[in-house]
Amino acid sequence: MEIWRLPISASQRGKLISAGYTSLSSLSSISSSDLARELNVSESEAMNILKVASHSRGSETSNASCSIVEVLDTFQWWAGAQSAWDMLHDEESLMHITTSSADLDNILGGGIHCKEVTEIGGVPGIGKTQLGIQIAVNVQIPNDFGGLGGNSIYIDTEGSFMVERAFQIAEACIEDMSEYNRFLRKDFQECKIKMQPQDILENIFYFRICSYTEQIALINYLDKFLSEHKDVKVIVVDSVTFHFRQDFDDMALRTRVLSGMALKLMNLAKRFSLAVVLLNQVTTKHTEASFQLALALGDSWSHTCTNRIVLYWNGNERYAYIDKSPSLRSA
């Protein structure tokens, strides 16, 4: 801290600067009697100046230490580098969340990946919301049946979540486990008593979001929520796009806000070893004298997710392809 910032009188600051004292460190080794003589003030006044300087120096050190701690907390991964071999082992040991579609699971390399952000987009009516609900249910499949046995968070920005449909999907999920058990297991009666559709619905934490400010606030709150609900293994946002296409005129601001939100979601996925699924809308993009469907929010947003899947119609059948992924093969 510089001398002119010290909370002392202006005349005292002027005398210190005139005597060559420009920083707190320059006052650290001088005695009160010597300072009194150099400033031509009483020794008691000099002692008071040194006392204020010492207190300010202590506060400055404390603030600097807090800043360093905050930085180290933010970048705590610096303290423990991980080898590529360990990373490969971790990835191979991670469980996937099935989508209940063998073809889609195959495209995704086994299902929705934990510790990653997966974006799924498509035209209205293609089944994005149903897929989101399906994932929120399937994450609760017990470990004995090849699932994660976790809970889910469903963030609804459009009001399209259908609890009746979620109940039907939960019933179908239990029926699928029943079929699996009939062929491969003998203790399904015990499992059937323990897991009911209402149990699955109770483990879906639902948030209704009505504006982009609420959406940002909730994403920031999730850190605390997940610390208190460590069984959550997937976050579904349906859709990530809605409020950002409706309420924004400043595109540069929108890009910065979206980037910050995406970074927060990626950090949550890594820190809590969970999957993040973002459902997105589509728009048209002009390329090479033609128009084609593209996921909404622009090119900058396209770099924020780990995997991007596009759903589309071909006649009466649904198809999917990989729009972007660092590890999944094109399909």
Side-chain angles (χ1 to χ4, degrees):
M1 180 186 287
E2 297 177 351
I3 290 296
W4 65 270
R5 292 181 181 274
L6 273 180
I8 54 178
S9 68
S11 62
Q12 289 173 335
R13 287 196 295 270
K15 290 179 179 179
L16 285 169
I17 294 172
S18 299
Y21 297 102
T22 57
S23 65
L24 292 182
S25 59
S26 60
L27 292 173
S28 60
S29 58
I30 192 171
S31 65
S32 58
S33 57
D34 289 342
L35 183 63
R37 187 173 58 256
E38 289 189 27
L39 301 185
N40 195 23
V41 296
S42 65
E43 188 167 346
S44 61
E45 187 175 352
M47 289 179 62
N48 182 63
I49 292 173
L50 290 175
K51 182 178 179 180
V52 172
S54 176
H55 177 74
S56 298
R57 191 163 52 246
S59 299
E60 185 180 35
T61 303
S62 176
N63 290 338
S65 299
C66 290
S67 299
I68 292 172
V69 169
E70 289 173 1
V71 170
L72 289 176
D73 284 343
T74 303
F75 298 103
Q76 55 187 320
W77 45 268
W78 279 8
Q82 188 180 26
S83 71
W85 178 255
D86 290 337
M87 291 172 62
L88 178 62
H89 177 73
D90 289 346
E91 288 182 8
E92 290 176 342
S93 63
L94 282 176
M95 299 287 290
H96 300 99
I97 306 169
T98 178
T99 63
S100 293
S101 167
D103 292 334
L104 187 54
D105 282 350
N106 183 52
I107 290 175
L108 290 166
I112 302 295
H113 296 238
C114 289
K115 291 191 175 183
E116 293 183 359
V117 178
T118 300
E119 182 181 13
I120 302 174
V123 297
I126 195 71
K128 299 186 297 294
T129 294
Q130 174 152 321
L131 181 57
I133 297 173
Q134 187 79 60
I135 293 167
V137 169
N138 287 354
V139 73
Q140 301 182 49
I141 296 174
N143 299 107
D144 291 342
F145 291 89
L148 273 66
N151 299 340
S152 58
I153 292 174
Y154 200 99
I155 301 173
D156 184 6
T157 66
E158 300 184 22
S160 55
F161 181 87
M162 301 164 287
V163 68
E164 298 86 358
R165 187 61 182 138
F167 188 86
Q168 293 169 359
I169 292 174
E171 287 182 317
C173 181
I174 293 174
E175 182 60 31
D176 286 344
M177 287 190 288
S178 174
E179 291 291 331
Y180 173 86
N181 187 79
R182 263 196 290 270
F183 289 105
L184 300 177
R185 300 179 64 87
K186 298 179 180 179
D187 55 353
F188 180 70
Q189 284 301 115
E190 182 180 354
C191 294
K192 186 175 182 180
I193 294 172
K194 289 183 177 180
M195 196 167 195
Q196 299 296 325
Q198 55 266 34
D199 300 325
I200 292 178
L201 264 60
E202 285 178 355
N203 291 326
I204 299 175
F205 300 106
Y206 174 81
F207 294 90
R208 178 70 172 99
I209 300 301
C210 298
S211 68
Y212 75 86
T213 52
E214 287 184 10
Q215 187 169 333
I216 296 167
L218 175 59
I219 299 301
N220 290 328
Y221 167 70
L222 285 181
D223 199 324
K224 180 177 185 296
F225 185 88
L226 291 169
S227 297
E228 298 170 353
H229 299 82
K230 296 186 182 297
D231 289 335
V232 171
K233 292 301 177 185
V234 68
I235 300 170
V236 179
V237 184
D238 180 18
S239 69
V240 68
T241 323
F242 184 71
H243 295 303
F244 289 93
R245 296 185 77 182
Q246 305 292 329
D247 303 335
F248 264 91
D249 294 323
D250 188 338
M251 293 296 103
L253 175 60
R254 188 184 80 163
T255 298
R256 292 195 297 272
V257 171
L258 283 170
S259 297
M261 185 178 66
L263 180 60
K264 183 71 173 180
L265 289 170
M266 285 189 284
N267 289 338
L268 291 175
K270 293 287 186 182
R271 179 180 172 191
F272 294 99
S273 298
L274 53 81
V276 175
V277 178
L278 307 178
L279 304 182
N280 198 352
Q281 301 170 353
V282 294
T283 186
T284 54
K285 185 176 182 180
H286 184 263
T287 56
E288 298 180 357
S290 65
F291 289 91
Q292 65 180 27
L293 288 178
L295 297 184
L297 298 180
D299 292 335
S300 297
W301 170 259
S302 68
H303 301 294
T304 60
C305 301
T306 314
N307 308 305
R308 303 188 94 201
I309 314 297
V310 178
L311 308 177
Y312 66 98
W313 290 104
N314 187 358
N316 293 324
E317 295 184 329
R318 294 179 178 91
Y319 284 77
Y321 68 89
I322 302 290
D323 183 62
K324 171 215 166 187
S325 175
S327 58
L328 300 175
R329 58 183 173 83
S330 299

